[in-house]
Amino acid sequence: RGRSVRRARVIIEDTAHEFGLGAFAIGSMLLTHPIRLKHYDDLWIDCAGDEWSPDGVGVFSRSPDFSFRDGEVWFGTSVVGFAFDDYGAASGFPPQ
């Protein structure tokens, strides 16, 4: 929470066997657990495992995210270098 996606990726890489989750994995979790994003005050989710190039020129300056606005779950992108208190990067670990 409160870290940029760029910083979260560095922390994730430094942790053994941890990896950032992408939009497909997080979207699937939100479909099966709809109570995860039901209120404006819920922690919004950065997809640290994915990246996006807005101009299609290979500069991956944004990452997908999920938020809750106007009574609905929103899917969008945010700049990887900006930190927001209401977002947190999602990560996972492989089974042992």
Side-chain angles (χ1 to χ4, degrees):
R1 176 182 204 130
R3 292 190 172 118
S4 70
V5 174
R6 182 177 294 137
R7 180 67 185 140
R9 287 177 180 161
V10 169
I11 293 169
I12 290 169
E13 289 174 7
D14 288 344
T15 306
H17 308 295
E18 187 176 10
F19 59 92
L21 295 177
F24 182 78
I26 296 169
S28 297
M29 285 190 286
L30 290 174
L31 285 172
T32 58
H33 298 85
I35 62 170
R36 172 59 184 83
L37 276 178
K38 277 182 74 171
H39 305 285
Y40 182 80
D41 294 334
D42 290 339
L43 183 64
W44 298 351
I45 307 166
D46 283 322
C47 305
D50 285 344
E51 49 189 16
W52 182 61
S53 176
D55 299 325
V57 295
V59 177
F60 294 93
S61 60
R62 300 181 78 83
S63 72
D65 59 46
F66 289 90
S67 60
F68 189 85
R69 298 178 187 157
D70 300 326
E72 300 175 333
V73 174
W74 285 51
F75 179 70
T77 63
S78 57
V79 177
V80 296
F82 293 170
F84 300 102
D85 287 337
D86 44 359
Y87 282 91
S91 65
F93 295 87
Q96 295 294 321

